[in-house]
């Protein structure tokens, strides 16, 4: 599990839907670095840190069209 930072490694990340999250993407709840991007069925987007993504995941699954999850990048 010795993965690279992957910040610019979008080309090989074909499993990722949409663009990768960066350090400038911030959790909507607390402002920490975001590791989840939730695309809502309504068309909006939400960003969450790992903590809040986990805290809200049951709710998010009900409203999300897709969830882009990079929490496995956290070592
Ligand atoms: Zn947060």
């Amino acid at each position: 599990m010795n993965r690279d930072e992957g910040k610019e490694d979008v080309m090989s990340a074909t499993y990722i839907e949409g663009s990768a999250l960066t350090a400038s993407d911030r959790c909507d709840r607390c402002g920490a670095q975001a590791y989840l991007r939730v695309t809502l069925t309504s068309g909006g987007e939400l960003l969450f840190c790992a903590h809040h993504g986990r805290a809200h995941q049951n709710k998010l699954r009900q409203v999300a069209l897709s969830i882009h999850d990079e929490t496995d990048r956290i070592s």
Side-chain angles (χ1 to χ4, degrees), residues 26-33 47-53:
R26 295 290 159 178
C27 175
D28 289 334
R29 296 297 166 111
C30 70
Q33 184 172 347
L47 297 173
F48 290 103
C49 65
H51 171 77
H52 283 112

Side-chain angles (χ1 to χ4, degrees), residues 36 41-42 54 64 66 75:
L36 291 107
T41 53
S42 61
R54 233 174 257 129
S66 68
S75 55

